[in-house]
PDB file of all heavy atoms in Angstrom:
ATOM      1  N   LEU A  83     -17.439  24.143 -27.172  1.00  0.00           N
ATOM      2  CA  LEU A  83     -16.337  25.088 -26.954  1.00  0.00           C
ATOM      3  C   LEU A  83     -16.519  26.342 -27.804  1.00  0.00           C
ATOM      4  O   LEU A  83     -16.910  26.272 -28.964  1.00  0.00           O
ATOM      5  CB  LEU A  83     -14.999  24.425 -27.280  1.00  0.00           C
ATOM      6  CG  LEU A  83     -14.625  23.231 -26.410  1.00  0.00           C
ATOM      7  CD1 LEU A  83     -13.296  22.642 -26.860  1.00  0.00           C
ATOM      8  CD2 LEU A  83     -14.567  23.617 -24.936  1.00  0.00           C
ATOM      9  N   VAL A  84     -16.203  27.466 -27.191  1.00  0.00           N
ATOM     10  CA  VAL A  84     -16.250  28.760 -27.867  1.00  0.00           C
ATOM     11  C   VAL A  84     -14.882  29.398 -27.699  1.00  0.00           C
ATOM     12  O   VAL A  84     -14.445  29.658 -26.577  1.00  0.00           O
ATOM     13  CB  VAL A  84     -17.347  29.669 -27.271  1.00  0.00           C
ATOM     14  CG1 VAL A  84     -17.353  31.014 -27.969  1.00  0.00           C
ATOM     15  CG2 VAL A  84     -18.710  29.008 -27.356  1.00  0.00           C
ATOM     16  N   THR A  85     -14.200  29.639 -28.812  1.00  0.00           N
ATOM     17  CA  THR A  85     -12.874  30.245 -28.786  1.00  0.00           C
ATOM     18  C   THR A  85     -12.995  31.700 -29.190  1.00  0.00           C
ATOM     19  O   THR A  85     -13.558  32.015 -30.246  1.00  0.00           O
ATOM     20  CB  THR A  85     -11.917  29.495 -29.737  1.00  0.00           C
ATOM     21  OG1 THR A  85     -11.879  28.123 -29.340  1.00  0.00           O
ATOM     22  CG2 THR A  85     -10.517  30.087 -29.678  1.00  0.00           C
ATOM     23  N   VAL A  86     -12.470  32.579 -28.342  1.00  0.00           N
ATOM     24  CA  VAL A  86     -12.580  34.014 -28.553  1.00  0.00           C
ATOM     25  C   VAL A  86     -11.186  34.611 -28.663  1.00  0.00           C
ATOM     26  O   VAL A  86     -10.323  34.358 -27.818  1.00  0.00           O
ATOM     27  CB  VAL A  86     -13.334  34.688 -27.385  1.00  0.00           C
ATOM     28  CG1 VAL A  86     -13.468  36.191 -27.623  1.00  0.00           C
ATOM     29  CG2 VAL A  86     -14.696  34.044 -27.175  1.00  0.00           C
ATOM     30  N   ILE A  87     -10.964  35.402 -29.695  1.00  0.00           N
ATOM     31  CA  ILE A  87      -9.713  36.149 -29.849  1.00  0.00           C
ATOM     32  C   ILE A  87     -10.047  37.610 -29.614  1.00  0.00           C
ATOM     33  O   ILE A  87     -10.974  38.159 -30.231  1.00  0.00           O
ATOM     34  CB  ILE A  87      -9.087  35.943 -31.240  1.00  0.00           C
ATOM     35  CG1 ILE A  87      -8.755  34.457 -31.447  1.00  0.00           C
ATOM     36  CG2 ILE A  87      -7.831  36.803 -31.395  1.00  0.00           C
ATOM     37  CD1 ILE A  87      -8.258  34.114 -32.829  1.00  0.00           C
ATOM     38  N   SER A  88      -9.297  38.231 -28.709  1.00  0.00           N
ATOM     39  CA  SER A  88      -9.562  39.624 -28.346  1.00  0.00           C
ATOM     40  C   SER A  88      -8.254  40.380 -28.194  1.00  0.00           C
ATOM     41  O   SER A  88      -7.188  39.782 -28.054  1.00  0.00           O
ATOM     42  CB  SER A  88     -10.372  39.695 -27.052  1.00  0.00           C
ATOM     43  OG  SER A  88      -9.693  39.015 -26.017  1.00  0.00           O
ATOM     44  N   LYS A  89      -8.362  41.688 -28.200  1.00  0.00           N
ATOM     45  CA  LYS A  89      -7.185  42.544 -28.086  1.00  0.00           C
ATOM     46  C   LYS A  89      -6.597  42.532 -26.688  1.00  0.00           C
ATOM     47  O   LYS A  89      -5.429  42.828 -26.502  1.00  0.00           O
ATOM     48  CB  LYS A  89      -7.542  43.973 -28.497  1.00  0.00           C
ATOM     49  CG  LYS A  89      -7.893  44.071 -29.955  1.00  0.00           C
ATOM     50  CD  LYS A  89      -8.280  45.472 -30.352  1.00  0.00           C
ATOM     51  CE  LYS A  89      -8.651  45.475 -31.823  1.00  0.00           C
ATOM     52  NZ  LYS A  89      -9.196  46.723 -32.261  1.00  0.00           N
ATOM     53  N   ALA A  90      -7.421  42.204 -25.697  1.00  0.00           N
ATOM     54  CA  ALA A  90      -6.987  42.140 -24.296  1.00  0.00           C
ATOM     55  C   ALA A  90      -7.859  41.101 -23.606  1.00  0.00           C
ATOM     56  O   ALA A  90      -8.909  40.721 -24.135  1.00  0.00           O
ATOM     57  CB  ALA A  90      -7.154  43.503 -23.629  1.00  0.00           C
ATOM     58  N   PRO A  91      -7.455  40.642 -22.432  1.00  0.00           N
ATOM     59  CA  PRO A  91      -8.316  39.686 -21.706  1.00  0.00           C
ATOM     60  C   PRO A  91      -9.706  40.280 -21.482  1.00  0.00           C
ATOM     61  O   PRO A  91      -9.849  41.459 -21.192  1.00  0.00           O
ATOM     62  CB  PRO A  91      -7.577  39.492 -20.382  1.00  0.00           C
ATOM     63  CG  PRO A  91      -6.147  39.813 -20.689  1.00  0.00           C
ATOM     64  CD  PRO A  91      -6.212  40.912 -21.717  1.00  0.00           C
ATOM     65  N   LEU A  92     -10.718  39.440 -21.640  1.00  0.00           N
ATOM     66  CA  LEU A  92     -12.099  39.893 -21.471  1.00  0.00           C
ATOM     67  C   LEU A  92     -12.560  39.660 -20.042  1.00  0.00           C
ATOM     68  O   LEU A  92     -12.104  38.735 -19.377  1.00  0.00           O
ATOM     69  CB  LEU A  92     -13.023  39.131 -22.417  1.00  0.00           C
ATOM     70  CG  LEU A  92     -12.762  39.326 -23.905  1.00  0.00           C
ATOM     71  CD1 LEU A  92     -13.645  38.387 -24.718  1.00  0.00           C
ATOM     72  CD2 LEU A  92     -12.999  40.772 -24.306  1.00  0.00           C
ATOM     73  N   ASP A  93     -13.490  40.496 -19.610  1.00  0.00           N
ATOM     74  CA  ASP A  93     -14.121  40.316 -18.315  1.00  0.00           C
ATOM     75  C   ASP A  93     -15.048  39.105 -18.425  1.00  0.00           C
ATOM     76  O   ASP A  93     -15.957  39.087 -19.264  1.00  0.00           O
ATOM     77  CB  ASP A  93     -14.908  41.569 -17.952  1.00  0.00           C
ATOM     78  CG  ASP A  93     -15.671  41.396 -16.651  1.00  0.00           C
ATOM     79  OD1 ASP A  93     -15.017  41.227 -15.605  1.00  0.00           O
ATOM     80  OD2 ASP A  93     -16.914  41.439 -16.709  1.00  0.00           O
ATOM     81  N   GLU A  94     -14.818  38.068 -17.616  1.00  0.00           N
ATOM     82  CA  GLU A  94     -15.606  36.844 -17.725  1.00  0.00           C
ATOM     83  C   GLU A  94     -17.088  37.086 -17.471  1.00  0.00           C
ATOM     84  O   GLU A  94     -17.943  36.441 -18.081  1.00  0.00           O
ATOM     85  CB  GLU A  94     -15.070  35.767 -16.787  1.00  0.00           C
ATOM     86  CG  GLU A  94     -15.685  34.409 -17.069  1.00  0.00           C
ATOM     87  CD  GLU A  94     -14.945  33.263 -16.432  1.00  0.00           C
ATOM     88  OE1 GLU A  94     -13.720  33.329 -16.288  1.00  0.00           O
ATOM     89  OE2 GLU A  94     -15.628  32.295 -16.068  1.00  0.00           O
ATOM     90  N   ASP A  95     -17.412  38.038 -16.601  1.00  0.00           N
ATOM     91  CA  ASP A  95     -18.822  38.356 -16.355  1.00  0.00           C
ATOM     92  C   ASP A  95     -19.493  38.921 -17.607  1.00  0.00           C
ATOM     93  O   ASP A  95     -20.666  38.646 -17.872  1.00  0.00           O
ATOM     94  CB  ASP A  95     -18.970  39.329 -15.192  1.00  0.00           C
ATOM     95  CG  ASP A  95     -18.663  38.693 -13.843  1.00  0.00           C
ATOM     96  OD1 ASP A  95     -18.782  37.449 -13.727  1.00  0.00           O
ATOM     97  OD2 ASP A  95     -18.293  39.427 -12.911  1.00  0.00           O
ATOM     98  N   ALA A  96     -18.755  39.694 -18.395  1.00  0.00           N
ATOM     99  CA  ALA A  96     -19.298  40.250 -19.635  1.00  0.00           C
ATOM    100  C   ALA A  96     -19.522  39.138 -20.661  1.00  0.00           C
ATOM    101  O   ALA A  96     -20.541  39.136 -21.367  1.00  0.00           O
ATOM    102  CB  ALA A  96     -18.353  41.308 -20.200  1.00  0.00           C
ATOM    103  N   VAL A  97     -18.589  38.191 -20.728  1.00  0.00           N
ATOM    104  CA  VAL A  97     -18.751  37.059 -21.642  1.00  0.00           C
ATOM    105  C   VAL A  97     -19.942  36.213 -21.193  1.00  0.00           C
ATOM    106  O   VAL A  97     -20.782  35.810 -22.010  1.00  0.00           O
ATOM    107  CB  VAL A  97     -17.468  36.209 -21.712  1.00  0.00           C
ATOM    108  CG1 VAL A  97     -17.670  34.985 -22.604  1.00  0.00           C
ATOM    109  CG2 VAL A  97     -16.290  37.041 -22.211  1.00  0.00           C
ATOM    110  N   ARG A  98     -20.043  35.968 -19.902  1.00  0.00           N
ATOM    111  CA  ARG A  98     -21.162  35.188 -19.354  1.00  0.00           C
ATOM    112  C   ARG A  98     -22.497  35.861 -19.690  1.00  0.00           C
ATOM    113  O   ARG A  98     -23.466  35.203 -20.097  1.00  0.00           O
ATOM    114  CB  ARG A  98     -21.012  35.038 -17.842  1.00  0.00           C
ATOM    115  CG  ARG A  98     -22.056  34.135 -17.199  1.00  0.00           C
ATOM    116  CD  ARG A  98     -21.787  33.933 -15.715  1.00  0.00           C
ATOM    117  NE  ARG A  98     -20.438  33.487 -15.421  1.00  0.00           N
ATOM    118  CZ  ARG A  98     -20.001  32.224 -15.553  1.00  0.00           C
ATOM    119  NH1 ARG A  98     -20.827  31.295 -15.984  1.00  0.00           N
ATOM    120  NH2 ARG A  98     -18.762  31.911 -15.266  1.00  0.00           N
ATOM    121  N   ALA A  99     -22.565  37.183 -19.540  1.00  0.00           N
ATOM    122  CA  ALA A  99     -23.791  37.926 -19.844  1.00  0.00           C
ATOM    123  C   ALA A  99     -24.138  37.816 -21.333  1.00  0.00           C
ATOM    124  O   ALA A  99     -25.315  37.673 -21.687  1.00  0.00           O
ATOM    125  CB  ALA A  99     -23.638  39.386 -19.429  1.00  0.00           C
ATOM    126  N   ALA A 100     -23.135  37.863 -22.199  1.00  0.00           N
ATOM    127  CA  ALA A 100     -23.368  37.743 -23.639  1.00  0.00           C
ATOM    128  C   ALA A 100     -23.913  36.356 -23.984  1.00  0.00           C
ATOM    129  O   ALA A 100     -24.849  36.216 -24.779  1.00  0.00           O
ATOM    130  CB  ALA A 100     -22.083  38.029 -24.412  1.00  0.00           C
ATOM    131  N   VAL A 101     -23.334  35.322 -23.377  1.00  0.00           N
ATOM    132  CA  VAL A 101     -23.793  33.952 -23.610  1.00  0.00           C
ATOM    133  C   VAL A 101     -25.218  33.795 -23.083  1.00  0.00           C
ATOM    134  O   VAL A 101     -26.074  33.197 -23.742  1.00  0.00           O
ATOM    135  CB  VAL A 101     -22.823  32.933 -22.969  1.00  0.00           C
ATOM    136  CG1 VAL A 101     -23.394  31.527 -23.033  1.00  0.00           C
ATOM    137  CG2 VAL A 101     -21.455  32.981 -23.666  1.00  0.00           C
ATOM    138  N   ASP A 102     -25.485  34.342 -21.912  1.00  0.00           N
ATOM    139  CA  ASP A 102     -26.841  34.302 -21.344  1.00  0.00           C
ATOM    140  C   ASP A 102     -27.836  34.993 -22.274  1.00  0.00           C
ATOM    141  O   ASP A 102     -28.949  34.500 -22.478  1.00  0.00           O
ATOM    142  CB  ASP A 102     -26.884  34.978 -19.966  1.00  0.00           C
ATOM    143  CG  ASP A 102     -26.225  34.159 -18.863  1.00  0.00           C
ATOM    144  OD1 ASP A 102     -25.945  32.955 -19.083  1.00  0.00           O
ATOM    145  OD2 ASP A 102     -25.980  34.723 -17.784  1.00  0.00           O
TER     146      ASP A 102
END
Side-chain angles (χ1 to χ4, degrees):
L83 297 178
V84 179
T85 303
V86 181
I87 299 174
S88 57
K89 294 179 181 173
L92 297 173
D93 176 64
E94 191 165 328
D95 289 336
V97 177
R98 185 175 308 281
V101 172
D102 287 347

